[in-house]
Amino acid sequence: MEYKFGGSLTNQKTVLGHPSGLFVLFFTEMWERFSYYGMRALLVLFLVASVFDEGWGWDRADALTLYAFYTGLVYVTPIFGGLIADKITGYRKAVVIGALLMTLGHASMALEGLTGTFFYLGLVLLIIGNGMFKPNISSMVGKLYKTEDKEKDAGYTIFYMGINAGAFLGILLCGYIGESVGWHYGFGLAGIFMFVGMLQFYFAQEIFGKIGLSPKGAEDFDDAMEDALEETEDAIEDTIEEAKSSKVVSDRLIVIGVLAFFTIFFWWAFEQAGGSMTIFAADYTDRVLEGDGALIFKIFNTLLTVIPMIIITWVLGMLFKQTYAKFALSNILLGLSFVIIWAIVIWMLYRQFTDPAPEVPASWFGILNSFFIIAFAPIFSKIWESKMNPSGPVKFAIGLILLGIGFGILAFGSMGIPLGAKTASVSMIFLILAYLFHTLGELCVSPVGLSYVSKLSPGKLVGLMFGIWFVANFIANTAAGLTGRYIDPIVEDYGMATFFMIFTIIPIAAGLIMLAISRLLVKMMHGIR
């Protein structure tokens, strides 16, 4: 009997029309993103918090430098993690190893109160663990489907929703607990759910059948690496020869390079979200609410939290129905994690509703990105499928311009902040609108860029081209933190509005240049749309 989907017989049972194994991966990735974004939301806030507030009392420049190297390196290690999985461990073992390393990393950060060594060790473990986990769980999603049709695209869309659900809950809950209860509790909470995600994946992995198993007859590590490098060198040489003799191949490679170059400008500005924008939320935004404003926030935050939780719990129930008989322990662990999450959500909302003048956590604004993605992704998907669908370079241009407009809104809202001010009370509406425009820009750039790398790359070099794309993200994330570290001297000499105008002018200028060369790039794609 031939199965419709890859994997075991149980995997043929569907949830929302997709194989059950997709939702095992969905929840594993959700908890991983919960832990990553939950920790990221706290990192800079913890470092700059005073010793009196149980932080480390770093100045902003040093905190943003550490943030730069951390967020940059998490885009480098997946290149090696994917290679190790391909040649030695297989995807499944790599996912478990990565999840275990990240669990230990979060646990180590939760012990930062004992010695700072634990904090740095935790960051290193998170960087290495992310490299083993991130590329390989995404690869398993593709292996569930036997064809390259719209069904696979829809599967990746559902998986992307899991990413955003995890980011949303991680920032919301880890951020709230870290800021209102204690930093180490926030770091520890991130680790608990990373551990749960690892266990539910481990005990349900037989649902994938042979998907993600170790390569047969794998050599030792040195031989595997040597073979992989030789294969890559051969592929590069073949592609260079092909590019010399084929204008189509050379033109498409140039387009990938141009898109990778312009994506650096996008993520350089966008990744201010975890750095300078978090500082702006903490120190320059009026987050204390009273009267009607407090009531409106409480109602909005409750709906914003409870509705996604109900939807995700409903999906969990459908997975239970299809897989509990075969993978009871995995389901029980997953169900227990949701009981804990619901308890934390109810406790958080109760505390906020009983507080007559609640203060919005500085980390709370980070959830807006995930919320806006969930809200607007279906609309953008419909536009891309319609006759109004612009070319890839035009989408990039629109994304860069929208990003610049978001920072322009922040610059406008910051005009009243005096030179050198360390605190201010700017309305929250400016940050909310900035996150809206940034997210709209992300929807024009992020999925589009990955799609075009896949379409334009020569068959032998798809993996390498994605590696180059990750390097562009590494450059952007590192540059984002290193640029953000100059927030204090720029604010002191020129003002906060000038600081945000830098991130307004450069992306918009890059977007206009991309718009000007878009027709040339489309021509160089030679029919790829």
Side-chain angles (χ1 to χ4, degrees):
M1 178 182 174
E2 187 174 351
Y3 295 155
K4 179 181 179 182
F5 302 108
S8 67
L9 177 62
T10 306
N11 196 47
Q12 309 312 306
K13 296 179 179 179
T14 61
V15 175
L16 299 176
H18 291 271
S20 299
L22 174 65
F23 293 89
V24 173
L25 299 176
F26 174 100
F27 285 110
T28 305
E29 176 70 8
M30 188 185 85
W31 289 137
E32 188 275 330
R33 291 291 88 182
F34 178 100
S35 68
Y36 173 79
Y37 279 100
M39 190 285 291
R40 197 191 76 161
L42 294 174
L43 182 58
V44 171
L45 292 173
F46 162 71
L47 291 172
V48 301
S50 67
V51 176
F52 178 77
D53 291 325
E54 299 183 344
W56 278 11
W58 283 20
D59 63 41
R60 295 167 178 174
D62 291 338
L64 289 169
T65 300
L66 180 62
Y67 174 82
F69 287 112
Y70 171 70
T71 56
L73 288 172
V74 295
Y75 280 98
V76 173
T77 50
I79 300 171
F80 302 101
L83 188 61
I84 291 170
D86 282 338
K87 296 296 179 181
I88 304 171
T89 63
Y91 300 139
R92 276 152 60 170
K93 286 183 181 177
V95 168
V96 173
I97 292 169
L100 179 59
L101 288 172
M102 286 188 285
T103 299
L104 294 173
H106 287 295
S108 185
M109 291 185 74
L111 298 173
E112 51 79 22
L114 300 178
T115 172
T117 303
F118 280 120
F119 182 82
Y120 294 114
L121 175 62
L123 288 178
V124 171
L125 290 171
L126 288 171
I127 290 167
I128 298 172
N130 179 79
M132 292 297 289
F133 183 98
K134 190 65 180 170
N136 298 309
I137 193 167
S138 298
S139 298
M140 289 187 67
V141 174
K143 300 291 184 182
L144 293 174
Y145 299 90
K146 294 185 175 182
T147 62
E148 299 289 336
D149 58 12
K150 292 181 179 179
E151 198 171 48
K152 178 182 281 192
D153 292 342
Y156 270 106
T157 300
I158 291 173
F159 185 69
Y160 192 60
M161 295 294 282
I163 291 173
N164 283 286
F168 177 89
L169 291 172
I171 295 170
L172 181 73
L173 300 181
C174 293
Y176 179 80
I177 288 176
E179 288 189 68
S180 62
V181 180
W183 303 111
H184 48 282
Y185 290 108
F187 293 138
L189 183 67
I192 289 171
F193 289 102
M194 183 70 262
F195 185 59
V196 171
M198 180 193 74
L199 291 179
Q200 74 96 21
F201 175 85
Y202 180 81
F203 289 115
Q205 63 180 306
E206 288 184 10
I207 198 172
F208 303 113
K210 295 181 179 180
I211 294 173
L213 292 177
S214 305
K216 291 184 178 179
E219 312 106 312
D220 62 35
F221 184 82
D222 292 336
D223 289 340
M225 284 298 186
E226 186 177 340
D227 289 347
L229 289 173
E230 288 178 0
E231 290 172 10
T232 302
E233 288 174 5
D234 291 341
I236 292 173
E237 289 175 4
D238 291 344
T239 303
I240 290 173
E241 290 301 319
E242 189 178 354
K244 287 179 179 178
S245 60
S246 170
K247 181 173 174 57
V248 172
V249 174
S250 61
D251 281 354
R252 287 175 176 172
L253 288 173
I254 290 171
V255 172
I256 292 175
V258 171
L259 294 178
F261 177 72
F262 277 89
T263 199
I264 291 173
F265 291 101
F266 183 87
W267 294 115
W268 162 75
F270 185 92
E271 282 300 325
Q272 296 302 312
S276 61
M277 287 177 68
T278 296
I279 289 173
F280 183 80
D283 297 337
Y284 297 95
T285 302
D286 182 8
R287 296 179 287 111
V288 178
L289 301 173
E290 297 177 350
D292 293 340
L295 180 61
I296 291 170
F297 171 77
K298 291 173 183 178
I299 295 172
F300 176 72
N301 193 48
T302 299
L303 294 174
L304 195 65
T305 306
V306 171
I307 292 174
M309 279 295 299
I310 291 173
I311 293 171
I312 298 169
T313 305
W314 172 65
V315 173
L316 177 69
M318 290 190 288
L319 180 64
F320 267 38
K321 183 179 179 181
Q322 299 290 39
T323 63
Y324 186 84
K326 185 71 175 178
F327 304 107
L329 182 55
S330 174
N331 281 266
I332 289 171
L333 289 167
L334 193 55
L336 179 62
S337 69
F338 268 76
V339 171
I340 296 171
I341 281 290
W342 270 110
I344 295 172
V345 164
I346 292 169
W347 167 79
M348 179 191 74
L349 294 175
Y350 173 77
R351 285 191 62 175
Q352 288 180 336
F353 260 96
T354 54
D355 188 343
E359 183 177 54
V360 180
S363 58
W364 178 86
F365 296 93
I367 72 172
L368 296 173
N369 177 239
S370 295
F371 171 73
F372 288 138
I373 283 179
I374 294 168
F376 288 99
I379 298 173
F380 275 71
S381 178
K382 291 294 183 184
I383 294 173
W384 301 160
E385 292 172 2
S386 71
K387 294 180 180 179
M388 295 187 293
N389 181 29
S391 66
V394 172
K395 290 174 185 172
F396 257 66
I398 294 170
L400 284 160
I401 292 169
L402 288 170
L403 178 69
I405 291 172
F407 279 107
I409 292 170
L410 283 180
F412 178 76
S414 304
M415 290 178 68
I417 299 176
L419 292 180
K422 293 293 185 181
T423 60
S425 297
V426 177
S427 170
M428 292 193 301
I429 191 63
F430 294 105
L431 261 179
I432 293 170
L433 288 174
Y435 273 105
L436 171 61
F437 278 91
H438 290 183
T439 304
L440 297 178
E442 180 187 3
L443 288 168
C444 293
V445 171
S446 183
V448 173
L450 294 173
S451 174
Y452 275 90
V453 172
S454 176
K455 292 175 182 177
L456 294 168
S457 299
K460 295 179 181 179
L461 287 184
V462 174
L464 181 64
M465 290 298 105
F466 273 110
I468 291 173
W469 196 261
F470 277 127
V471 170
N473 279 271
F474 159 71
I475 295 170
N477 278 265
T478 305
L482 293 178
T483 307
R485 75 190 300 272
Y486 292 102
I487 184 172
D488 282 340
I490 292 174
V491 169
E492 186 171 333
D493 294 337
Y494 304 102
M496 182 65 75
T498 300
F499 177 80
F500 285 127
M501 279 302 295
I502 295 171
F503 299 99
T504 301
I505 294 169
I506 293 178
I508 289 178
L512 292 175
I513 294 171
M514 175 64 82
L515 199 60
I517 64 173
S518 61
R519 289 188 178 181
L520 175 61
L521 292 177
V522 169
K523 185 178 179 181
M524 294 174 69
M525 292 180 189
H526 296 282
I528 296 293
R529 289 288 298 173

